[in-house]
Amino acid sequence: MTEQRPLDVALENRLMGKGIYLSEWAHEDETVTLEYETVAAPSSVTSHEVGTVVRTLLECADERDTWSPVTLEATSLTTDGEVRGTWRVEADWFRRLGDDLTEVEFSRRVLESVEDET
């Protein structure tokens, strides 16, 4: 049996291939705080990058025997380290996804949480 990489390492490796570079990951209690850099030209957070991070996190989590949904607080940075914006996913949204929360409603909630710095 092979060892699984920690979730943050697996996420970092997969996001790199998509032009998103995980620069910080902190897991405290039931919250994960992450910062990532993107080479995207827009000066604000895009729905594409949010979707990429969330989908990739869910893919990595699905490969684990145990994953407890957590609140995700994300900060998007430029390659110069300037904040482009923030967004979040509540742990409850992860828990309810595919149950009584549709993918469309889940996505709407996440995208409504985006706060641009511009």
Side-chain angles (χ1 to χ4, degrees):
M1 180 157 38
T2 60
E3 266 187 58
Q4 285 184 333
R5 291 183 175 146
L7 184 58
D8 60 325
V9 174
L11 181 63
E12 178 180 27
N13 290 338
R14 290 190 187 176
L15 287 175
M16 272 194 286
K18 299 172 183 182
I20 297 174
Y21 303 91
L22 191 60
S23 56
E24 193 169 310
W25 171 282
H27 187 181
E28 189 173 317
D29 298 323
E30 292 192 21
T31 301
V32 166
T33 304
L34 66 85
E35 287 186 355
Y36 62 89
E37 295 177 357
T38 181
V39 294
S43 60
S44 59
V45 176
T46 66
S47 60
H48 176 74
E49 78 188 60
V50 172
T52 298
V53 172
V54 172
R55 277 191 310 278
T56 305
L57 174 63
L58 287 171
E59 288 169 5
C60 292
D62 281 347
E63 295 170 358
R64 278 148 176 71
D65 294 333
T66 59
W67 180 68
S68 297
V70 295
T71 295
L72 175 65
E73 296 178 349
T75 301
S76 176
L77 307 170
T78 66
T79 54
D80 295 332
E82 304 229 358
V83 174
R84 294 171 68 232
T86 61
W87 53 273
R88 66 185 291 115
V89 182
E90 296 293 332
D92 186 56
W93 303 347
F94 280 128
R95 282 187 206 97
R96 294 174 49 208
L97 179 61
D99 200 15
D100 69 333
L101 189 65
T102 66
E103 288 184 18
V104 171
E105 179 63 16
F106 175 86
S107 296
R108 184 190 62 75
R109 290 177 184 203
V110 175
L111 293 177
E112 285 180 349
S113 77
V114 172
E115 293 183 22
D116 288 324
E117 288 297 308
T118 56

